[in-house]
Amino acid sequence: MQNEITVSVFFPFISSVLLAVVAYFIRQLHSDFKKMELDLNEVKTMALIIKTEFKNSYDLMNQKVEYLEQRINKLELNQIKQKENEKP
């Protein structure tokens, strides 16, 4: 009889302790996933900012190149006109 009482008390106690340990680790895992989600959102935001900065820099560089091409074309035309004026 004494054995039955010990087993009937011991088994629920062990199962409660094990469930508490499992619940603790699940809560830790949940908080880790929340932190990871926040970090991932931050990384996405930073990547979007970097992408936007590169796109803006690329557009600005293209504008400068186009401006320089137009300027070179004008200078070439002016030089050709000057050579034509000097020939006769």
Side-chain angles (χ1 to χ4, degrees), residues 12-59:
F13 174 73
I14 293 295
S15 62
S16 295
V17 169
L18 289 176
L19 282 174
V21 168
V22 168
Y24 172 78
F25 284 115
I26 287 175
R27 188 172 21 165
Q28 289 294 333
L29 186 65
H30 181 64
S31 66
D32 288 346
F33 274 114
K34 286 227 180 231
K35 288 178 187 174
M36 186 179 68
E37 182 182 12
L38 291 175
D39 290 344
L40 188 60
N41 284 337
E42 185 177 336
V43 167
K44 284 181 181 179
T45 304
M46 290 301 292
L48 185 62
I49 289 170
I50 291 170
K51 180 181 174 184
T52 304
E53 287 178 356
F54 273 114
K55 186 179 182 319
N56 289 340
S57 296
Y58 178 75
D59 290 343

